[in-house]
Amino acid sequence: MARVPLGEAGQSVTPYPFILILGQDDNERIMGERLRDWGMSVQWNTELVRLEQAPDRVSATLAVGDGTSRKVTAAWVAGCDGARSSVRELNGITFAGAPYEHVFFVADTQVTGNMVPDEVNVYLWRQGFHLFFPMRGKDHWRVVGILPPTLRDRKDVSFDGVIPSLRGEAGPGLSFESCSWFSTYRIQHRSALHFRDRRCFLLGDAAHIHSPVGAQGMNTGLQDAYNLGWKLALVVQGRAAATLLDSYEQERMPIARRLLNTTDRAFRLVVSGGWLGGLLRTQVIARIAALAMSVERIQRLAFRIVSQTGIAYRQSPLSEPLEGLPPEAPRAGDRFPWLRLRFRVDGPVEDLFEKLDDTRLTLIVIGQPAPPEGALALGDPLCVLAIPAHPANDVELARAQIPRPSFYLLRPDGHVGLCGARLEAAPIARYASERLVLRSAATRNPS
Ligand SMILES: Cc1cc2nc3c(=O)[nH]c(=O)nc-3n(C[C@H](O)[C@H](O)[C@H](O)COP(=O)(O)OP(=O)(O)OC[C@H]3O[C@@H](n4cnc5c(N)ncnc54)[C@H](O)[C@@H]3O)c2cc1C
């Protein structure tokens, strides 16, 4: 009925303006390999069963696969342990929300049919929907949908049981060769009342779960980790005071709550019952989506929402706008725009994001001299990028509505912390000591 292109609107936002279909198994393998590159590894068959918090440490009891247990003492605990999080439950943090009545299924199949190759195929039908995700390999599709109401309360549903409804709605031409995996599950929408209890943090599904409509869950969890990671690194190394960690919940909880509300509304729309719900799905939603996406502004907005590049922390205590910037310029809290710039007048055009270092603060200086080395006295975590005057740079800066003169102090996660027109040492030093609570080398005390 309609094709909804998402990537075109993202061409100027990111080097990756497309939906990447990557199975969670692949994703976990990639992250596991990266961890091994850093000399660490996942300890499988090891379960957290007990936690005791002291003012300066956490003691965790781990049950190991061979039936024994061992104790680990750590300064901090990041609870990335999913919807049934032990870190959340052992700290007594309420997981407020409710389950949906619908039962989902997911199936890994070899199938041929009228699907458009290499694209997400969405089938909206009178009773619900089916999503076909193209996976690695020939005719390999991961199919997600809700069970027809007649199958909802049955315990013995198999993939064969859902084939008739799939054929009825996604097309009689579907020819299933095999199904290597099938499971059903109820989904919930819940959010933890706190994302932190003293020295324990909740991230990912441990902190928030919602309907998979919108495909935002894992990405939100990864961004939780990216948000907490740099703060925890500064604190553990003694470069920042532990109060910096308060901003994790302050920044990430509003994002999770908003996501829960939007996915809840979207989910209710795609599963709403009665003739009106069926009419909306079969006649209206796809046409409206395609029509709306023909409007450039809506396309850009949709891309920013789905890709999460539109997430901003403008209300965060770590965001401070100084005077002098026009309202349309990037603001404190925003993800700093992706730019391709010449960092030397006679140098090549380079990708700004490649230059950012996610273990350090970056100061971007535009249309004014960069401060001499050491002048800002922020210590080692600062990298200074001065953008020289050049016609190509002017075009790129104008596209991002960045004026001259201006400066942007970026956090290690690429969001703007402090920004303004004229660069002066005093406000930067004050921002670093009051907002980021950075410590000078003399007062460092690793935890
Ligand atoms: C059908 C479906 C499709 C989805 N599609 C998308 C999508 O397209 N895009 C997207 O972004 N998200 C998607 N999601 C959501 C995504 O899968 C989750 O948000 C994501 O997996 C959550 O990751 P996590 O690391 O927080 O939790 P989990 O993946 O649940 O990992 C938690 C880990 O902690 C371990 N654990 C639990 N308790 C303990 C304990 N006591 N001790 C030690 N270890 C423990 C578990 O064994 C597990 O390995 C989808 C979800 C579903 C169900």
Side-chain angles (χ1 to χ4, degrees):
M1 185 177 287
R3 183 168 181 275
V4 182
L6 268 178
E8 283 153 29
Q11 303 285 348
S12 61
V13 179
T14 164
Y16 314 105
F18 48 83
I19 295 179
L20 178 68
I21 311 270
L22 186 71
Q24 186 156 343
D25 47 344
D26 279 327
N27 208 28
E28 289 183 2
R29 180 182 47 76
I30 291 166
M31 290 198 285
E33 284 168 6
R34 192 83 176 108
L35 209 54
R36 271 193 294 281
D37 290 346
W38 286 328
M40 290 170 276
S41 63
V42 176
Q43 296 174 34
W44 298 109
N45 296 319
T46 307
E47 185 186 358
L48 172 73
V49 289
R50 210 179 143 153
L51 268 178
E52 283 158 282
Q53 295 219 41
D56 59 341
R57 65 188 182 281
V58 192
S59 299
T61 307
L62 305 178
V64 192
D66 61 7
T68 61
S69 69
R70 64 191 173 94
K71 256 193 168 174
V72 175
T73 302
W76 306 95
V77 170
C80 311
D81 48 351
R84 294 200 187 95
S85 168
S86 304
V87 175
R88 189 187 65 235
E89 284 172 13
L90 293 168
N91 279 302
I93 300 175
T94 306
F95 204 28
Y100 290 104
E101 59 175 314
H102 305 86
V103 179
F104 268 71
F105 72 84
V106 54
D108 247 349
T109 60
Q110 291 292 127
V111 56
T112 52
N114 66 357
M115 292 80 73
V116 179
D118 302 324
E119 298 198 352
V120 182
N121 285 244
V122 181
Y123 295 89
L124 297 163
W125 46 285
R126 291 200 65 77
Q127 302 283 342
F129 64 91
H130 290 130
L131 309 177
F132 279 59
F133 294 94
M135 305 302 288
R136 194 158 28 87
K138 193 168 180 295
D139 299 332
H140 181 185
W141 292 86
R142 186 160 294 168
V143 186
V144 174
I146 50 172
L147 289 183
T150 48
L151 299 179
R152 202 178 276 169
D153 295 319
R154 294 222 338 234
K155 294 264 172 285
D156 58 341
V157 186
S158 66
F159 184 59
D160 288 343
V162 299
I163 288 180
S165 73
L166 273 165
R167 283 226 175 87
E169 308 298 338
L174 285 180
S175 169
F176 289 99
E177 276 169 40
S178 61
C179 172
S180 56
W181 183 50
F182 177 79
S183 68
T184 60
Y185 54 97
R186 274 187 193 273
I187 56 162
Q188 321 230 351
H189 54 117
R190 292 181 186 275
S191 175
L193 280 195
H194 300 287
F195 286 8
R196 176 186 182 184
D197 178 14
R198 292 161 290 164
R199 290 182 163 266
C200 293
F201 296 88
L202 299 177
L203 299 86
D205 280 19
H208 42 75
I209 48 167
H210 51 81
S211 132
V213 169
Q216 300 285 298
M218 185 193 69
N219 290 327
T220 307
L222 292 174
Q223 289 212 4
D224 289 343
Y226 205 40
N227 187 288
L228 180 63
W230 67 270
K231 297 170 184 172
L232 211 43
L234 285 175
V235 171
V236 167
Q237 292 161 6
R239 290 168 166 176
T243 47
L244 175 63
L245 300 172
D246 295 343
S247 63
Y248 167 66
E249 177 178 299
Q250 288 161 338
E251 292 186 342
R252 294 305 296 172
M253 195 180 261
I255 305 292
R257 295 270 157 91
R258 200 177 323 129
L259 184 64
L260 238 71
N261 288 337
T262 45
T263 52
D264 185 49
R265 278 204 296 273
F267 182 66
R268 285 184 195 285
L269 184 67
V270 290
V271 295
S272 53
W275 68 269
L276 185 61
L279 188 74
L280 276 174
R281 271 188 298 278
T282 52
Q283 303 297 328
V284 182
I285 294 177
R287 288 196 172 97
I288 288 198
L291 187 70
M293 291 296 278
S294 64
V295 180
E296 210 186 303
R297 232 164 60 98
I298 296 182
Q299 226 185 74
R300 277 207 306 270
L301 180 72
F303 182 85
R304 284 181 179 275
I305 292 173
V306 174
S307 66
Q308 303 196 355
T309 52
I311 285 176
Y313 306 122
R314 289 185 177 178
Q315 309 305 324
S316 163
L318 303 189
S319 303
E320 183 178 342
L322 298 176
E323 285 177 2
L325 289 181
E328 65 280 5
R331 304 244 294 265
D334 292 359
R335 165 189 183 265
F336 193 73
W338 176 54
L339 303 172
R340 279 142 296 175
L341 298 164
R342 285 175 202 272
F343 293 89
R344 289 193 328 267
V345 175
D346 56 352
V349 173
E350 292 180 81
D351 179 333
L352 169 70
F353 281 11
E354 293 287 322
K355 294 246 175 218
L356 299 182
D357 175 342
D358 57 12
T359 65
R360 296 204 285 174
L361 299 169
T362 301
L363 178 65
I364 299 182
V365 186
I366 300 144
Q368 56 197 313
E373 206 173 314
L376 295 174
L378 294 184
D380 44 359
L382 183 71
C383 153
V384 179
L385 292 176
I387 314 299
H390 187 285
N393 283 352
D394 291 346
V395 171
E396 192 69 348
L397 292 169
R399 178 180 67 77
Q401 301 185 301
I402 297 173
R404 280 174 182 280
S406 60
F407 75 90
Y408 287 86
L409 182 63
L410 309 194
R411 312 159 8 152
D413 61 4
H415 283 262
V416 178
L418 178 77
C419 57
R422 285 273 163 217
L423 176 66
E424 287 171 40
I428 294 200
R430 187 186 40 72
Y431 173 82
S433 73
E434 288 178 10
R435 302 235 182 196
L436 295 180
V437 283
L438 293 187
R439 287 169 162 162
S440 65
T443 58
R444 281 179 193 172
N445 182 18
S447 67

